[in-house]
Amino acid sequence: MADYKEFKKVLIANRGEIAIRVARACRKMGIESVTVYSEADRNALHVRYADEAYFIGPSPAAESYLKIDKIIEVALKSGCDAIHPGYGFLAENSEFVKACEANNLTFIGPNTESMYILGDKTRARQRMIEAKVPVVPGMKDPVKDLDDALNRAREITYPIMFKASAGGGGKGMRLIHSEDEFKEVYDLAKGEALNAFGDDRMYIEKAIVNPRHVEVQIARDKHGNAIHLYERECSIQRRHQKVVEESPSVAINDEVRHKMGDAAIKAVTAANYDSVGTVEFLVDKDMNFYFLEVNTRLQVEHPVTEMVTGIDIVKMQIEIAEGKPLSYKQEDVKQVGHAIECRVYAEDPDKNFMPSPGQILGLRLPGGPGVRVDSGVYSRGEVPIYYDPMVAKLIVWDIDRESAIARMKRALSEYIVKGIKTTIPFHQKVLRNEDFIKGNISTDFIDKEVLVKPQPREGSLEVAIAAAAIKEYLREKELKSKLVEFNETCASGSPWKESGRKSAMFGASFGDIYKFST
Ligand code: MV4
């Protein structure tokens, strides 16, 4: 009985590396891929990779990648069966899912009902408590008023986390140490939540001190079959942006690992979830784990799980959307070796991670055994200012953590990006850090360990730095446009050879492209 529908053509409503990752899965599966692009992305790599690409509007995401009507229109006109949202943009927008359904297009992701349950943090918590998934000790319902809040906080005991029901991913969250502090920030926090989410419901959780962030990759099909693909350790974050992820986590043992996997399956089953997804947990120093939230999308860090399990998660996600039953049973899923991912951002680690957009003047990607690069950019391509500054992910696999760290160091030393600043040197610093090497990492790792250099605090200083950076950006841009003109007048053969030949004109800027930094 074939109660599934194989897709022939899929629209990818995203850009950059993830659009390419999805298009690769499509090509492997014999599915045609259609991408969309904004003004700033006319020459983007995802546009060149896909089988077809359509212009959808001006550079700001609100006028292009977030335009539901426009994306649906392209999907219908180009004859697609389904839409893959990637991550970010429309990936967790239930209005978009409804628009897909209304137009007979399959949304490659979960059903709207499970998205609704899991999208609201208090609702998700209630569901998990009913399903007996361990949650952080705290409230089941939002606070009524300040008095109620103070009473509940006294029962839970300080320190507490005051969280927005509509928040998530660290947004709308405050750590509070005392009753006095709570009185002071109560109205402020509610105002911020209202402003950010249009919803000021807040609830209280006991604060877990120096927690680790460990998440479990799951997959559940439309027939009720569910598996987990083990965990990812994501404690190395900066301002709730993950920087390095790995699998397995050094924070847990096999017993806890299996308990977490089971809890994750219980969590998604309780929400009648039907796609691939991620269940986030906090882990305390005694290896107790607590449910935080479910990410109802394909995640940036999915490759580390692919490397240790050998499972193509995007293919699995597409097959679930087609209505196929899972092709793996839990006992078929093995976690082998160790994988690490470094997210490469177009940011300047020496200037407080300020975005560093512009033209890439030279690019050399690492390779060799156990190395994977999911990159959304190419040499001479532009990194626009309009979108997330993550330009690529470097993922390595090796037999154990120590070897994987060595392999990542080797791969980072091969990775050369010219023209823009990236977080590659920062990753090299993290990988040399003694606590990281020992696996001694919690969510305050970066602030505590790596950013030892004091960052400017004063407003005037920050403004001065921003002004200097803009000036530098404009200067470089001018230089680059001259360079492109020059190269275009004598374009022939490989651009690499060409840039090597012309390097004399621009001093050392190209001369060292072929040199490794080890
Ligand atoms: C917490 C917590 C401590 N106690 N909840 C941040 C992301 C969001 N998903 C939840 N977060 C946290 N929730 C309680 N009850 C600490 C964090 C947290 C954190 C979690 C994971 C990774 C990095 C973090 C950085 C700061 C705070």
Side-chain angles (χ1 to χ4, degrees), residues 331-365:
E331 60 264 32
D332 302 330
V333 185
K334 299 275 193 291
Q335 191 184 35
V336 180
H338 199 100
I340 305 175
E341 172 177 280
C342 289
R343 296 190 185 188
V344 179
Y345 290 95
E347 290 175 346
D348 186 349
D350 291 331
K351 288 189 183 135
N352 202 18
F353 295 86
M354 192 178 307
S356 176
Q359 197 191 15
I360 293 177
L361 297 178
L363 181 65
R364 182 159 200 166
L365 300 180

Side-chain angles (χ1 to χ4, degrees), residues 233-251:
E233 163 76 59
C234 306
S235 296
I236 307 232
Q237 311 200 352
R238 192 183 158 272
R239 303 203 176 150
H240 304 297
Q241 284 264 53
K242 292 167 187 163
V243 174
V244 178
E245 302 101 341
E246 53 185 311
S247 184
S249 164
V250 289

Side-chain angles (χ1 to χ4, degrees), residues 136 161 163 169-170 173 205-208 211 213 237 240 280 282 292-293 443:
V136 188
M161 280 285 181
K163 296 187 174 185
M173 190 183 79
E205 278 179 9
K206 174 88 190 150
I208 309 294
H213 174 123
Q237 311 200 352
H240 304 297
E280 291 186 7
L282 285 182
L292 263 189
E293 56 193 80
T443 46

